[in-house]
Amino acid sequence: MGVELVALHWIYLLFIVLIIGFMVARKDTSLICIAGIFLLAAVATHSLSAAVSGVFNSFIYAITELLPTILVISIIVAMSKVLSATGINDVMVSPFVRFIRTPAWAYWTIGILMMIISWFFWPSPAVALMGAVLLPAAVRVGLPALGVAMAMNLFGHGIALSGDFIIQGAPKLTADAAGLPVGDVIAASVPLVFVMGAVTTVTAFYLLRRDMKRGRLASGEEEMAATVDSTLEKTSHLLTGQTKKWLALLIPILFALDVIAMFYLRLQGGEATALVGGTAIFILILISVLAHRQESFAEVTNYFIEGVQFGFKVFGPVIPIAAFFYLGDAGFVKIIGDYLPQASQGIVNDLGVALAHAVPLNNEVGAVTLTIVGAITGLDGSGFSGISLAGSIAHLFSVAIGGGTATLTALGQIAAIWVGGGTLVPWALIPAAAICGVDPFELARRNLIPVAVGLVVTTVVAMFLI
């Protein structure tokens, strides 16, 4: 059954193209996103006041959706600042320097550890656990912070989340929509996940090393030199060497206990992130009391303020673009109202269905279309909202093609999550960018070519597996 496309769909599609074009051209997209929100609201409601209000309401909606992520990043940053201010960070880093001796070792070690932890607990809490400990070690041996963010991002939000072999949230959604057992989708996704992961991470590492050699990216040592020197001058007197060693040992133990608790209590997603965030708060308070004593009441507040300032500074440019893309899904009705056609599944999903009905069907076209549909539905930044649609379309295509349902379903899932789950859409990859202190838009640009190459190769492989 077809879907009715109205002016709202075409306006949204036009602004998606404009936003992508501005990103590629390294231009800020906030103004374009606000214009898009205003135009969508004006066309839907035929009211100037409603359109103006719609822009403000979309910002409130976006901030509400993003607030848990903003808060946990702010808390982790506040904790990191007290670790740096007391010199504990240096003590924590020292054991890892023995194993992470080169940028290459840092990239692959961080990436593989991130992938393994993310399989069990999903990427967001894994980013918080990994970033606080391994980022300084990697930067010390010469891997730029941007390279650390890429490794965490591609292995965690890319490989681990797109397969989701352990928790099985993603394959369950796609399998139900395609009318398949979840085991069939997981089995079909294994070769595609690892082809996508291998191609993308190798391509990303090659481009990273090339730009480091050409001087386009500062090495980790250059990034850290000034910070380390100034920190050492200010912090040597706050704690004794023995206290630093005990705290440097205690902090990883506390986070390891978090990991054990996540496993046994089956905490996932927001619950797991909340546990990590709460632990970081108690670590911040403990270190502040030991280091600042009588001044600890004021210093705890100062660290929190610094963390929150950092969080909102990083998320500030993201709020307008998140607000626009939330209109592509359930956010439209909540922000503007019920103005879409009666059978609409949301603007983004409608566009995906329309594309699926507009193309002739064979193995090759089916694979390409599922990749495109998955990528389009991923543009809302969650990666998960459109994967049920990918499963439904895979089922429709397999009837016409005569098979390959599980492979097509897995392909759509992989495309949606790699694009929307946290490697290309800027607000989806903010956790890794914020922990590493890099620009999320720059991280998205760095990921673009590797992910695009990976999707092309994976789509070709899927054509032979259907």
Side-chain angles (χ1 to χ4, degrees), residues 177-400:
L180 295 172
V182 68
D184 290 1
V185 174
I186 291 175
S189 71
V190 170
L192 299 180
V193 167
F194 285 106
V195 167
M196 178 72 189
V199 171
T200 304
T201 55
V202 170
T203 303
F205 181 69
Y206 167 77
L207 295 175
L208 187 67
R209 289 302 299 267
R210 184 199 66 183
D211 288 348
M212 287 173 65
K213 288 178 180 178
R214 293 180 178 178
R216 294 179 183 173
L217 275 177
S219 71
E221 297 102 320
E222 293 169 1
E223 289 179 340
M224 268 197 99
T227 304
V228 171
D229 290 342
S230 61
T231 300
L232 289 174
E233 288 176 11
K234 291 188 291 182
T235 63
S236 57
H237 66 283
L238 291 177
L239 293 171
T240 66
Q242 194 64 28
T243 304
K244 290 179 189 177
K245 289 179 181 178
W246 279 109
L247 290 171
L249 180 63
L250 176 64
I251 292 165
I253 290 173
L254 290 175
F255 282 124
L257 290 173
D258 281 354
V259 172
I260 294 169
M262 290 176 201
F263 183 77
Y264 282 103
L265 300 177
R266 297 185 178 182
L267 302 179
Q268 303 168 7
E271 292 177 330
T273 302
L275 181 62
V276 172
T279 302
I281 290 173
F282 283 107
I283 291 171
L284 166 64
I285 293 171
L286 173 64
I287 297 173
S288 296
V289 169
L290 291 175
H292 299 289
R293 297 179 178 85
Q294 294 92 338
E295 290 80 27
S296 60
F297 293 96
E299 291 299 329
V300 167
T301 302
N302 289 336
Y303 286 124
F304 274 125
I305 290 171
E306 286 188 70
V308 172
Q309 284 176 333
F310 178 88
F312 276 92
K313 182 178 179 180
V314 170
F315 276 82
V318 175
I319 289 168
I321 190 170
F324 173 81
F325 277 102
Y326 280 133
L327 291 177
D329 194 36
F332 189 94
V333 174
K334 293 180 180 179
I335 295 167
I336 297 176
D338 192 5
Y339 293 97
L340 292 171
Q342 189 171 358
S344 174
Q345 301 175 38
I347 292 177
V348 167
N349 286 349
D350 291 349
L351 290 170
V353 171
L355 174 64
H357 284 85
V359 296
L361 294 180
N362 55 43
N363 287 12
E364 291 75 19
V365 172
V368 171
T369 305
L370 255 297
T371 299
I372 294 172
V373 167
I376 289 174
T377 59
L379 288 174
D380 68 350
S382 76
F384 275 68
S385 66
I387 58 176
S388 293
L389 172 66
S392 300
I393 292 174
H395 179 69
L396 292 173
F397 277 28
S398 64
V399 173

Side-chain angles (χ1 to χ4, degrees), residues 65-275:
E65 293 292 313
L66 293 170
L67 191 57
T69 305
I70 297 174
L71 184 58
V72 75
I73 294 300
S74 299
I75 289 168
I76 293 292
V77 168
M79 182 196 72
S80 298
K81 286 186 177 297
V82 75
L83 292 179
S84 297
T86 54
I88 296 172
N89 217 30
D90 296 329
V91 180
M92 290 177 65
V93 164
S94 55
F96 294 98
V97 174
R98 301 173 192 171
F99 302 101
I100 302 177
R101 294 185 176 276
T102 67
W105 272 103
Y107 177 87
W108 294 106
T109 300
I110 288 173
I112 292 169
L113 285 174
M114 180 73 186
M115 178 180 70
I116 293 169
I117 295 174
S118 298
W119 269 333
F120 287 92
F121 309 114
W122 279 10
S124 293
V127 165
L129 286 167
M130 295 279 294
V133 178
L134 293 184
L135 171 64
V139 172
R140 286 282 175 84
V141 299
L143 184 65
L146 186 60
V148 178
M150 290 173 69
M152 295 171 71
N153 201 219
L154 297 175
F155 280 89
H157 288 87
I159 299 174
L161 193 59
S162 67
D164 198 10
F165 301 136
I166 307 298
I167 298 171
Q168 299 183 4
K172 181 72 168 65
L173 288 171
T174 48
D176 287 350
L180 295 172
V182 68
D184 290 1
V185 174
I186 291 175
S189 71
V190 170
L192 299 180
V193 167
F194 285 106
V195 167
M196 178 72 189
V199 171
T200 304
T201 55
V202 170
T203 303
F205 181 69
Y206 167 77
L207 295 175
L208 187 67
R209 289 302 299 267
R210 184 199 66 183
D211 288 348
M212 287 173 65
K213 288 178 180 178
R214 293 180 178 178
R216 294 179 183 173
L217 275 177
S219 71
E221 297 102 320
E222 293 169 1
E223 289 179 340
M224 268 197 99
T227 304
V228 171
D229 290 342
S230 61
T231 300
L232 289 174
E233 288 176 11
K234 291 188 291 182
T235 63
S236 57
H237 66 283
L238 291 177
L239 293 171
T240 66
Q242 194 64 28
T243 304
K244 290 179 189 177
K245 289 179 181 178
W246 279 109
L247 290 171
L249 180 63
L250 176 64
I251 292 165
I253 290 173
L254 290 175
F255 282 124
L257 290 173
D258 281 354
V259 172
I260 294 169
M262 290 176 201
F263 183 77
Y264 282 103
L265 300 177
R266 297 185 178 182
L267 302 179
Q268 303 168 7
E271 292 177 330
T273 302
L275 181 62

Side-chain angles (χ1 to χ4, degrees), residues 399-460:
V399 173
I401 294 171
T405 311
T407 300
L408 286 171
T409 300
L411 181 63
Q413 172 183 305
I414 289 167
I417 291 178
W418 271 89
V419 171
T423 66
L424 289 186
V425 180
W427 62 93
L429 46 74
I430 276 203
I435 287 291
C436 295
V438 300
D439 180 5
F441 293 93
E442 181 61 27
L443 179 56
R445 283 191 286 266
R446 296 290 313 188
N447 287 344
L448 180 60
I449 292 176
V451 171
V453 172
L455 285 174
V456 170
V457 174
T458 306
T459 303
V460 172

